[in-house]
């Protein structure tokens, strides 16, 4: 009788061991925590302390289901932002105003005043006889009162842009929002006591119903925008010019910046933008009494 071959037995044992090792590896991986995921839309902050109308923090201004603004996350005092409805609704996010309401076009400049760029912007506007609206940051107003005086002396209107460009301001309690806006208005009035401050613009466009309601309660129209060339990202004068001249229509509110970073591209673009817009529209500062 021939001896039985052991080859088949060894092969079976090898397959069984391989299966057991594979199961153990899979079990080990399933018990290992997954690495943290990078938030969708996360970005690197541009520059050190630069301001910008789009928040650097991806969690600073999450959008709601309709994509128009921050969600209803609780404010610092535990209230629901969506529960505080504004006194009157505009055509922008959360009842803010995103157009002039007329055929006129309004140029707006945020984040100043700045000793390097604000005087240049004023010079260009003066050369073309154009009035605009300046949304000023409280701490900058405090540091450069002479520039606020120059803005008002040239016939431009003023807008409150929070004390230190607080993108999260709308998420804070109504009391803190009110204190911030009042502090900013007081800094403006310290430089120009008789100036009217009829507008408030939320930094980053991160509107909530409480910040709209508080602004309205203080007699300020919440001001959004229609055209945004993203000049805070320093895309260059050519790109800024293209976006503004292409996208501006009757009633537009154009957002640009005279501070918060390198704004030379904005100044250079303004020299190209004004002849084009003046040929097509009437350019006016927003009325000092607020929007209709």
């Amino acid at each position: 009788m021939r001896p039985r071959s052991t080859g088949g037995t060894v092969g079976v044992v090898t397959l069984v061991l391989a299966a057991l090792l594979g199961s153990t590896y899979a079990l080990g991986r399933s018990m290992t925590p997954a690495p943290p995921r990078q938030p969708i839309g996360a970005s690197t902050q541009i520059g050190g302390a630069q301001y910008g109308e789009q928040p650097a923090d991806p969690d600073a201004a999450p959008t709601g289901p309709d994509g128009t603004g921050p969600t209803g996350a609780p404010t610092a005092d535990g209230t629901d932002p969506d529960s505080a409805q504004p006194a009157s609704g505009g055509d922008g996010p959360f009842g803010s105003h995103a157009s002039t309401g007329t055929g006129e076009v309004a140029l707006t400049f945020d984040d100043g005043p700045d000793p390097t760029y604000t005087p240049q912007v004023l010079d260009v506007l003066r050369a073309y006889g154009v009035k605009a609206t300046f949304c000023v940051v409280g701490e900058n107003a405090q540091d450069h009162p002479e520039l606020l005086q120059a803005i008002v002396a040239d016939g431009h209107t003023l807008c409150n842009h929070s004390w230190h460009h607080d993108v999260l301001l709308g998420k804070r309690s109504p009391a803190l929002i009110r204190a911030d806006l009042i502090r900013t208005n007081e800094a403006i009035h310290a430089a120009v006591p008789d100036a009217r401050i009829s507008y408030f613009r939320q930094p980053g466009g991160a509107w909530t119903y409480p910040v709209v309601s508080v602004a309205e309660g203080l007699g300020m129209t919440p001001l959004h925008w229609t055209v945004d060339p993203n000049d805070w990202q320093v895309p260059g004068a050519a790109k800024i010019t293209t976006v503004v001249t292409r996208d501006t229509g009757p009633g537009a509110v154009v957002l640009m910046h005279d501070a918060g970073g390198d704004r030379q591209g904005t100044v250079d673009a303004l020299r190209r933008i004004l002849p084009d817009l003046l040929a097509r529209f009437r350019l006016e500062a927003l009325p000092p009494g607020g929007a209709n």
Side-chain angles (χ1 to χ4, degrees):
M1 183 173 67
R2 294 185 302 172
R4 296 176 58 187
S5 173
T6 60
T9 302
V10 173
V12 171
V13 171
T14 301
L15 290 174
V16 170
L17 288 174
L20 289 173
L21 288 172
S23 298
T24 302
Y25 176 76
L27 178 61
R29 282 187 58 84
S30 68
M31 297 176 67
T32 302
R37 298 171 59 186
Q38 182 76 1
I40 296 174
S43 60
T44 303
Q45 186 172 0
I46 301 174
Q50 288 185 338
Y51 300 138
E53 290 317 309
Q54 311 305 321
D57 179 359
D59 297 322
T63 55
D66 59 356
T68 57
T71 58
T75 57
D77 64 353
T79 60
D80 179 358
D82 292 336
S83 67
Q85 298 292 327
S88 60
D91 54 350
F94 289 84
S96 61
H97 290 254
S99 67
T100 63
T102 67
E104 298 173 348
V105 168
L107 301 183
T108 64
F109 297 90
D110 284 15
D111 298 353
D114 177 273
T116 299
Y117 301 109
T118 301
Q120 294 186 64
V121 169
L122 290 175
D123 286 346
V124 177
L125 293 174
R126 193 180 304 118
Y128 285 91
V130 171
K131 309 301 182 186
T133 299
F134 286 78
C135 299
V136 301
V137 173
E139 58 185 0
N140 291 342
Q142 183 180 68
D143 292 342
H144 305 289
E146 75 286 354
L147 294 179
L148 274 182
Q149 293 162 5
I151 290 170
V152 172
D154 277 4
H156 306 293
T157 55
L158 297 177
C159 169
N160 182 319
H161 200 36
S162 85
W163 178 254
H164 64 275
H165 201 272
D166 186 1
V167 174
L168 293 177
L169 183 63
K171 295 291 187 181
R172 309 194 191 286
S173 70
L176 288 176
I177 296 171
R178 181 181 174 86
D180 186 290
L181 270 55
I182 289 176
R183 184 184 185 190
T184 302
N185 281 350
E186 288 175 346
I188 295 171
H189 281 143
V192 282
D194 297 330
R196 297 189 65 176
I197 311 167
S198 298
Y199 301 90
F200 168 74
R201 174 170 280 164
Q202 167 62 31
W207 296 100
T208 61
Y209 285 134
V211 78
V212 169
S213 294
V214 171
E216 290 180 335
L218 292 173
M220 295 183 290
T221 297
L223 178 64
H224 197 63
W225 56 82
T226 317
V227 180
D228 180 7
N230 287 315
D231 63 332
W232 64 276
Q233 293 182 315
V234 196
K239 181 63 178 296
I240 297 168
T241 301
T242 296
V243 173
V244 173
T245 56
R246 179 194 66 202
D247 295 349
T248 300
V253 174
V254 181
L255 167 65
M256 289 183 284
H257 296 78
D258 64 324
D262 182 354
R263 302 298 175 234
Q264 194 59 52
T266 300
V267 174
D268 295 341
L270 191 60
R271 296 189 178 97
R272 309 177 192 179
I273 289 168
L274 289 181
D276 176 87
L277 295 187
L278 284 169
R280 296 187 288 146
F281 308 105
R282 182 176 177 182
L283 305 185
E284 293 289 346
L286 290 164
N292 295 328

